[in-house]
Each structure stands twice: as structure tokens, then as C-alpha cells.
Amino acid sequence: MAFHSFNGRFVAGLALTGFMLAAAGCQSGDTGILGFGKKDTTPPPPPDPKVLSSQLQAYCPKVTLRDGTAFFNTYAKSGPKPKKKTDVAAQDAQATQTAPDAVGADQPDDSAKIIYQASITDVTRDCSRANGSLSMKIAVAGKVVPGPMFTPGTITMPIRIAVMHGTEVLYSQLHSHQVQVTDPSSATQFVFTDSNVVIPEPTAQDYQAYAGYDEGAPKVATNKPKKKKTAATN
């Protein structure tokens, strides 16, 4: 298309310039022509941390295993040690100590004497609400593996279930769970459930539930002085 007048060339030039600017504006995305109307890059404000009522109603505290509570060993009893008649203190200490089936803090870690080795492999929970209280069912699954000193029988495992709110103990119960083990060639599976966990209904998502083996504090032998017998006098 040809233009023969100055005015025509001027109009055509303006049209061409407008077309090029428009094209540049389209290719620049949201920045607009000549940089005007740029998109706001200010980060949005953080979301409101307030927990919604619906979220709180669906909240069920998570169950975790504390370090050192996932395993439990049962050891063979040691034979009786010879006693010296003159060592009264040693006799008293020996009398106050029992030979537990389960290893405690005072039991040496001798793997050759293990009868069973139990471990917790999974934990889960279920929650329900009523009358301002939160009821939980906490389940523990695990297995018992026969050890070098395996003998068929029943193993009693101390399993503790607890719920904490910060440093406050809302619930804590130690259970004695028994498992019958008869097959020396394979592991025996077990499941334990505590259905009696009742705690105040939470007002925030800040409860923590725990499950694991708890053998309690080691027994301390105490030496009590014996009363001397006094001979009767006539």
C-alpha cells in the first residue's frame, strides 16, 4: 500500500509506531506498555494461624515413640552365686534383688542370653469427642523374635501409653501385655490396644501422645541393719 502525501506518511508512521508498542506490550506479560501498570510483587501477608473449629474437631493427637522405648529384651536367668557366711551385707543385697525375666537397667546387655527380642513396628490412634472430653484408642503393633536362649512360653511386655500437654501429664498408664511364643523359627506378631484414654478436649492442636516399652526405674538394693537378738536372762 503506497502513501503519496506527507500527511499520509505521517499517519502511516503513527499507526506503525502504535502497532509496535502494542505488540511490545502484549509480549511483556503483565508489565504493560512502557513498564506502566507493573504487577505488585509484595508478598502476601501470612495466613491467620487461628485453628478453625472444623479443624479442631477433626484433630487427633499424633502418637510417637520416644527414643529407647521401641525395643524390649527378655534374658535367661543367671544361676545363683555362692554366698559367704561371713559377708552379711552381700547376703542382704542378694536377698533383696530379684531375678526378673525381663531385662532392666541393672541387667547386663548379654545378647547370648536373650530369650526373646520384642520390638514395636507401628502405632496408630482413633479419636472421638463427647461431653467436653476427648477419648482415644491407641494401638501398638509389633513382633517378638526368638533369641539364642529361646524356650516356648509367654513373654510379658511393659507397654506405657501417655498423653502430654506440654509438660502436663494428661494420661499415663503402664500395661502388662502378654504374648505367647511357641515357634522358634519365625517372629510372632502382636497388637495391643489401650481403649481407655480419656482426656480434656483440646482447645488447640498441642497434645502429644506417646507409646512404648517402659521397664520402670531399676530396683535399688538396700542394706538394712539386722537387729541383734538379745539372750533372755532369768
Side-chain angles (χ1 to χ4, degrees):
M1 179 176 182
F3 296 92
H4 300 285
S5 66
F6 174 79
N7 291 336
R9 288 196 299 273
F10 181 76
V11 173
L14 287 178
L16 179 60
T17 302
F19 175 77
M20 294 175 64
L21 291 175
C26 293
Q27 293 177 2
S28 62
D30 296 330
T31 59
I33 301 174
L34 300 180
F36 293 104
K38 289 184 178 180
K39 188 176 182 180
D40 186 8
T41 58
T42 304
D48 188 355
K50 184 178 180 181
V51 180
L52 300 178
S53 177
S54 58
Q55 294 175 325
L56 195 57
Q57 287 294 322
Y59 170 62
C60 191
K62 183 180 179 182
V63 182
T64 59
L65 286 169
R66 279 179 170 167
D67 292 341
T69 65
F71 298 94
F72 175 78
N73 294 336
T74 302
Y75 289 83
K77 295 180 180 179
S78 301
K81 295 181 181 180
K83 300 179 181 179
K84 295 181 181 180
K85 294 182 179 180
T86 57
D87 193 350
V88 178
Q91 292 178 13
D92 291 342
Q94 184 70 21
T96 55
Q97 290 179 347
T98 57
D101 290 338
V103 63
D106 57 346
Q107 181 83 16
D109 186 12
D110 190 352
S111 58
K113 295 182 179 180
I114 294 178
I115 305 176
Y116 313 109
Q117 184 175 66
S119 62
I120 295 175
T121 57
D122 196 12
V123 291
T124 188
R125 82 286 191 208
D126 179 68
C127 295
S128 61
R129 289 168 172 78
N131 301 322
S133 297
L134 176 67
S135 298
M136 297 184 66
K137 291 182 180 180
I138 298 178
V140 172
K143 60 183 178 180
V144 180
V145 179
M149 300 295 289
F150 169 78
T151 55
T154 300
I155 175 176
T156 301
M157 299 178 292
I159 300 177
R160 182 175 294 279
I161 304 296
V163 181
M164 304 285 294
H165 181 211
T167 58
E168 180 185 4
V169 180
L170 302 178
Y171 176 88
S172 181
Q173 185 65 45
L174 183 63
H175 305 272
S176 297
H177 182 59
Q178 294 186 337
V179 178
Q180 186 73 23
V181 183
T182 57
D183 188 354
S185 62
S186 63
T188 300
Q189 307 291 329
F190 73 88
V191 175
F192 166 76
T193 303
D194 186 346
S195 304
N196 300 315
V197 182
V198 180
I199 53 180
E201 188 172 8
T203 57
Q205 296 183 358
D206 55 358
Y207 282 6
Q208 179 63 62
Y210 295 98
Y213 294 118
D214 184 359
E215 300 172 68
K219 295 182 179 180
V220 179
T222 57
N223 297 327
K224 296 182 180 179
K226 289 186 176 182
K227 295 181 180 180
K228 294 182 179 180
K229 295 182 179 180
T230 56
T233 57
N234 295 329

